[in-house]
Amino acid sequence: MLSRQAIAEAALDVVDTAGPDGLTMRALADRLGVKAASLYNHVSGKDDLLDDLAALVNAEIDLAPLDDPDWRRGLARYAHGYRAVFLRHPNTIALLARRRVEADRQLLTYDALLAALGRAGLDPADAAEAAAALDYLVLGSALETFTAGFTRGAAEYRPRHPALAGALEASAARGPGLDDRGFDLALRLLLDGLAARTAR
Protein backbone atom coordinates (compact mmCIF):
# COMPACT_ATOMS: atom_id res chain seq x y z
CA MET A 1 0.00 0.00 0.00
CA LEU A 2 1.28 3.46 -0.92
CA SER A 3 2.27 5.64 2.04
CA ARG A 4 4.66 8.49 2.79
CA GLN A 5 7.07 6.00 4.38
CA ALA A 6 6.99 3.71 1.34
CA ILE A 7 7.51 6.68 -0.97
CA ALA A 8 10.48 7.93 1.07
CA GLU A 9 12.04 4.46 1.12
CA ALA A 10 11.62 4.15 -2.64
CA ALA A 11 13.10 7.63 -3.11
CA LEU A 12 16.16 6.63 -1.11
CA ASP A 13 16.51 3.50 -3.23
CA VAL A 14 16.33 5.61 -6.41
CA VAL A 15 18.98 8.03 -5.14
CA ASP A 16 21.25 5.21 -3.95
CA THR A 17 21.11 3.47 -7.31
CA ALA A 18 20.61 6.27 -9.85
CA GLY A 19 22.25 9.25 -8.13
CA PRO A 20 20.73 12.56 -7.08
CA ASP A 21 19.74 13.53 -10.63
CA GLY A 22 17.85 10.28 -10.99
CA LEU A 23 15.24 11.27 -8.42
CA THR A 24 12.23 12.44 -10.38
CA MET A 25 8.59 11.92 -9.58
CA ARG A 26 8.30 9.77 -12.71
CA ALA A 27 11.27 7.57 -11.75
CA LEU A 28 9.87 7.26 -8.25
CA ALA A 29 6.43 6.28 -9.55
CA ASP A 30 8.03 3.68 -11.83
CA ARG A 31 9.94 2.24 -8.86
CA LEU A 32 6.68 1.93 -6.93
CA GLY A 33 4.67 0.66 -9.89
CA VAL A 34 2.14 3.50 -9.76
CA LYS A 35 1.22 6.57 -11.78
CA ALA A 36 3.15 9.74 -10.87
CA ALA A 37 -0.10 11.56 -10.09
CA SER A 38 -0.86 9.13 -7.27
CA LEU A 39 2.26 10.27 -5.41
CA TYR A 40 0.70 13.69 -4.91
CA ASN A 41 -1.96 12.15 -2.68
CA HIS A 42 0.84 11.67 -0.13
CA VAL A 43 3.50 14.33 -0.83
CA SER A 44 2.91 17.83 -2.13
CA GLY A 45 5.99 17.89 -4.35
CA LYS A 46 9.71 17.32 -4.50
CA ASP A 47 10.51 19.61 -1.54
CA ASP A 48 8.11 17.65 0.63
CA LEU A 49 9.65 14.42 -0.64
CA LEU A 50 13.19 15.62 0.17
CA ASP A 51 12.12 16.44 3.73
CA ASP A 52 10.89 12.87 4.09
CA LEU A 53 14.11 11.57 2.54
CA ALA A 54 16.16 13.66 5.00
CA ALA A 55 14.14 12.28 7.90
CA LEU A 56 14.63 8.71 6.69
CA VAL A 57 18.40 9.05 6.33
CA ASN A 58 18.79 10.91 9.63
CA ALA A 59 16.80 8.21 11.41
CA GLU A 60 19.73 5.88 10.68
CA ILE A 61 22.08 8.04 12.75
CA ASP A 62 22.49 6.62 16.24
CA LEU A 63 22.09 9.35 18.84
CA ALA A 64 22.74 7.09 21.85
CA PRO A 65 26.51 7.78 21.93
CA LEU A 66 25.78 11.45 22.64
CA ASP A 67 24.56 10.41 26.11
CA ASP A 68 27.97 8.93 27.00
CA PRO A 69 29.33 10.63 30.16
CA ASP A 70 32.74 10.61 28.46
CA TRP A 71 31.95 13.29 25.93
CA ARG A 72 35.03 12.65 23.77
CA ARG A 73 34.27 8.96 23.43
CA GLY A 74 30.59 9.63 22.81
CA LEU A 75 31.21 12.29 20.21
CA ALA A 76 33.74 10.07 18.43
CA ARG A 77 31.27 7.17 18.33
CA TYR A 78 28.51 9.49 17.12
CA ALA A 79 30.75 10.90 14.37
CA HIS A 80 31.73 7.43 13.16
CA GLY A 81 28.09 6.37 13.07
CA TYR A 82 27.06 9.58 11.30
CA ARG A 83 29.78 9.03 8.69
CA ALA A 84 28.77 5.39 8.21
CA VAL A 85 25.23 6.45 7.33
CA PHE A 86 26.42 8.80 4.60
CA LEU A 87 28.98 6.32 3.34
CA ARG A 88 25.96 4.04 2.76
CA HIS A 89 24.04 6.86 1.10
CA PRO A 90 26.63 9.22 -0.45
CA ASN A 91 24.31 10.28 -3.26
CA THR A 92 21.98 11.93 -0.74
CA ILE A 93 24.63 14.48 0.25
CA ALA A 94 24.16 16.54 -2.91
CA LEU A 95 20.41 16.63 -2.29
CA LEU A 96 20.44 17.35 1.44
CA ALA A 97 23.62 19.20 2.40
CA ARG A 98 22.58 22.64 1.09
CA ARG A 99 18.87 22.40 1.93
CA ARG A 100 17.08 23.96 4.82
CA VAL A 101 16.89 21.75 7.90
CA GLU A 102 13.18 21.16 8.42
CA ALA A 103 12.54 17.46 9.00
CA ASP A 104 11.78 16.75 12.66
CA ARG A 105 14.37 13.96 12.78
CA GLN A 106 17.05 16.31 11.44
CA LEU A 107 16.17 18.93 14.02
CA LEU A 108 16.21 16.31 16.79
CA THR A 109 19.68 15.18 15.66
CA TYR A 110 21.12 18.68 15.81
CA ASP A 111 19.41 19.41 19.12
CA ALA A 112 20.86 16.24 20.66
CA LEU A 113 24.32 17.07 19.32
CA LEU A 114 24.23 20.65 20.58
CA ALA A 115 22.97 19.52 23.99
CA ALA A 116 25.85 17.03 24.23
CA LEU A 117 28.36 19.72 23.28
CA GLY A 118 26.86 21.96 25.95
CA ARG A 119 27.22 19.22 28.55
CA ALA A 120 30.86 18.89 27.48
CA GLY A 121 31.38 22.49 28.57
CA LEU A 122 31.10 24.46 25.35
CA ASP A 123 29.14 27.68 25.36
CA PRO A 124 26.31 27.87 22.78
CA ALA A 125 28.34 29.80 20.18
CA ASP A 126 31.26 27.36 20.43
CA ALA A 127 28.82 24.44 20.30
CA ALA A 128 27.30 25.80 17.07
CA GLU A 129 30.76 26.11 15.51
CA ALA A 130 31.68 22.60 16.67
CA ALA A 131 28.49 21.15 15.16
CA ALA A 132 29.25 22.91 11.87
CA ALA A 133 32.84 21.63 11.92
CA LEU A 134 31.63 18.09 12.55
CA ASP A 135 29.20 18.37 9.62
CA TYR A 136 31.99 19.54 7.32
CA LEU A 137 34.25 16.72 8.44
CA VAL A 138 31.68 13.93 8.22
CA LEU A 139 29.91 14.95 5.02
CA GLY A 140 33.13 15.96 3.28
CA SER A 141 34.78 12.64 4.08
CA ALA A 142 31.70 10.71 2.92
CA LEU A 143 31.46 12.67 -0.32
CA GLU A 144 35.11 12.56 -1.32
CA THR A 145 37.67 9.79 -0.97
CA PHE A 146 41.28 10.95 -0.94
CA THR A 147 42.63 7.67 -2.25
CA ALA A 148 40.28 7.49 -5.25
CA GLY A 149 42.05 10.49 -6.74
CA PHE A 150 45.34 8.63 -7.19
CA THR A 151 44.80 5.83 -9.69
CA ARG A 152 48.43 5.25 -10.72
CA GLY A 153 50.99 3.26 -8.81
CA ALA A 154 53.02 5.40 -6.40
CA ALA A 155 56.23 4.88 -8.41
CA GLU A 156 54.66 6.52 -11.47
CA TYR A 157 54.31 9.81 -9.57
CA ARG A 158 57.91 9.83 -8.37
CA PRO A 159 59.69 11.58 -11.29
CA ARG A 160 57.66 14.79 -11.04
CA HIS A 161 55.96 14.47 -7.64
CA PRO A 162 58.37 12.71 -5.27
CA ALA A 163 56.70 13.86 -2.03
CA LEU A 164 53.36 12.51 -3.24
CA ALA A 165 54.94 9.20 -4.27
CA GLY A 166 56.70 8.85 -0.92
CA ALA A 167 53.52 9.59 1.04
CA LEU A 168 51.45 7.12 -0.97
CA GLU A 169 54.08 4.40 -0.56
CA ALA A 170 54.41 5.01 3.18
CA SER A 171 50.64 4.96 3.62
CA ALA A 172 50.34 1.74 1.61
CA ALA A 173 52.92 0.17 3.91
CA ARG A 174 50.53 0.79 6.80
CA GLY A 175 47.88 -1.17 4.96
CA PRO A 176 44.55 -0.22 3.38
CA GLY A 177 42.31 2.37 4.96
CA LEU A 178 44.00 5.72 4.29
CA ASP A 179 40.62 7.44 4.02
CA ASP A 180 39.52 6.02 7.38
CA ARG A 181 42.83 6.95 9.02
CA GLY A 182 42.56 10.46 7.61
CA PHE A 183 39.07 10.80 9.06
CA ASP A 184 40.24 9.50 12.43
CA LEU A 185 43.12 11.99 12.48
CA ALA A 186 40.86 14.91 11.61
CA LEU A 187 38.35 13.82 14.24
CA ARG A 188 41.06 13.56 16.92
CA LEU A 189 42.31 17.03 16.04
CA LEU A 190 38.76 18.39 16.24
CA LEU A 191 38.20 16.76 19.62
CA ASP A 192 41.52 18.10 20.87
CA GLY A 193 40.49 21.58 19.79
CA LEU A 194 37.13 21.26 21.53
CA ALA A 195 38.83 20.01 24.70
CA ALA A 196 41.03 23.10 24.66
CA ARG A 197 37.94 25.32 24.44
CA THR A 198 36.24 23.56 27.32
CA ALA A 199 39.35 24.09 29.45
CA ARG A 200 39.39 27.87 28.96
Side-chain angles (χ1 to χ4, degrees), residues 45-99:
K46 194 163 182 182
D47 270 352
D48 200 20
L49 174 63
L50 290 177
D51 284 343
D52 287 351
L53 181 64
L56 188 63
V57 173
N58 274 263
E60 294 186 27
I61 301 171
D62 185 7
L63 303 183
L66 295 174
D67 293 327
D68 192 324
D70 181 335
W71 70 267
R72 283 186 66 120
R73 181 178 62 198
L75 195 58
R77 287 176 52 220
Y78 165 80
H80 279 101
Y82 181 8
R83 180 173 180 249
V85 168
F86 281 95
L87 286 173
R88 286 195 299 273
H89 306 296
N91 292 335
T92 64
I93 296 172
L95 290 172
L96 304 180
R98 293 188 175 270
R99 290 190 84 245

Side-chain angles (χ1 to χ4, degrees), residues 116-199:
L117 292 167
R119 289 191 299 273
L122 293 175
D123 67 40
D126 283 345
E129 291 172 9
L134 190 63
D135 260 9
Y136 304 146
L137 175 59
V138 168
L139 297 178
S141 71
L143 184 63
E144 178 190 15
T145 64
F146 182 82
T147 53
F150 304 104
T151 56
R152 292 182 265 161
E156 292 185 53
Y157 294 106
R158 187 168 301 286
R160 296 190 61 189
H161 311 287
L164 172 61
L168 292 174
E169 287 171 346
S171 178
R174 290 185 176 176
L178 172 57
D179 290 320
D180 291 335
R181 292 194 301 271
F183 176 76
D184 287 339
L185 172 60
L187 182 58
R188 283 197 305 273
L189 294 173
L190 175 58
L191 294 174
D192 287 346
L194 296 181
R197 287 197 176 194
T198 63

Side-chain angles (χ1 to χ4, degrees), residues 5-22:
Q5 180 73 15
I7 291 169
E9 289 171 357
L12 181 57
D13 190 41
V14 169
V15 174
D16 284 344
T17 57
D21 294 335

